[in-house]
Amino acid sequence: MDTAAGLHAHWAHARATARRHLTLCYPTVAAMVGEAALHTLADWLWRLTPPTGGDLGTWGGTLPDLLRDRLPTPAWWRPPEGSHPASDLAHWPWLADAAALDWARHQAEREALAPVDTAALSALADVDPSLTRLVLQAHVQLVFSAWPLTALWAAHRLPESQQAQAAAQALSTPTSSADCTRCTVVWWTPEGVQHAPLSPAEGHWMFALRHRPALSLAEALQQASPELDLGAWLVRALQSGWLVGTEPH
């Protein structure tokens, strides 16, 4: 095999691998735009951000941000042959956020489950909140969006003939101004990856726990929304397995 033929074979294999991987990582996106369109996205992503390591499972996470940066329809986009002329990215302004939920589910599945410190959590009421902080499991992911991602995700698990109507119904559901930015929590369980919507207060609270480790529990509580029901959230967090335990602050 000459050099040109070898390079062509290598690229063909890489392209096929990228397409398979993205189809597995982004099933909702595939259901929304079609598998052929997702293959176009895979080819584009592979060229822009090829893998940098041997673990292909870590590749593809830039797709939501790249979609967000490229909307409305980028010049490179070509609708799959035979598709409706309106089959372009501008018709899915929620596509990047739906991709973010798909990727969060993929990440949650890959994260290790840390042992839960049940003793520390049981003694939480007796600990000075200024000297400790709550620690979330690494598999817990948060996705913020103005779109009803959980409803859109569910709509695209239905038979193909029912997806468009279910998605339209999800998008037509009115929301209050307080819910204009919604949060979806994603986590791993032995039964499979789960996700569920959070209230704005819960989303703000969990964001602080995950992304602001400099805050003590007392400081996080001071900055939490008055609408947060900490007791109800703790029960849900313990039942769902979101917490590892506590650590000194």
Side-chain angles (χ1 to χ4, degrees), residues 130-183:
S130 66
L131 301 177
T132 192
R133 62 181 298 269
L134 289 173
V135 181
L136 296 174
Q137 289 278 357
H139 60 76
V140 174
Q141 311 287 326
L142 300 171
V143 182
F144 289 85
S145 175
W147 304 100
L149 295 186
T150 55
L152 285 170
W153 186 91
H156 289 89
R157 308 276 87 69
L158 297 172
E160 188 175 353
S161 60
Q162 302 174 27
Q163 290 180 11
Q165 182 178 356
Q169 183 176 355
L171 291 166
S172 66
T173 303
T175 59
S176 67
S177 59
D179 291 332
C180 61
T181 300
R182 318 174 208 208
C183 182

Side-chain angles (χ1 to χ4, degrees), residues 41-186:
L41 291 172
D43 294 347
W44 164 66
L45 191 65
W46 191 276
R47 289 187 179 96
L48 285 181
T49 57
T52 57
D55 183 5
L56 189 62
T58 63
W59 176 78
T62 57
L63 181 62
D65 286 337
L66 290 173
L67 285 173
R68 208 169 278 119
D69 292 343
R70 299 277 176 150
L71 289 172
T73 311
W76 52 263
W77 179 256
R78 296 293 181 273
E81 185 178 351
S83 65
H84 190 276
S87 178
D88 60 49
L89 294 184
H91 285 262
W92 292 285
W94 49 86
L95 186 64
D97 290 351
L101 178 57
D102 276 346
W103 185 254
R105 289 178 57 86
H106 172 69
Q107 284 185 300
E109 196 169 31
R110 289 172 53 83
E111 290 289 352
L113 180 67
V116 180
D117 189 346
T118 54
L121 292 172
S122 299
L124 188 61
D126 301 323
V127 177
D128 185 343
S130 66
L131 301 177
T132 192
R133 62 181 298 269
L134 289 173
V135 181
L136 296 174
Q137 289 278 357
H139 60 76
V140 174
Q141 311 287 326
L142 300 171
V143 182
F144 289 85
S145 175
W147 304 100
L149 295 186
T150 55
L152 285 170
W153 186 91
H156 289 89
R157 308 276 87 69
L158 297 172
E160 188 175 353
S161 60
Q162 302 174 27
Q163 290 180 11
Q165 182 178 356
Q169 183 176 355
L171 291 166
S172 66
T173 303
T175 59
S176 67
S177 59
D179 291 332
C180 61
T181 300
R182 318 174 208 208
C183 182
T184 301
V185 59
V186 182

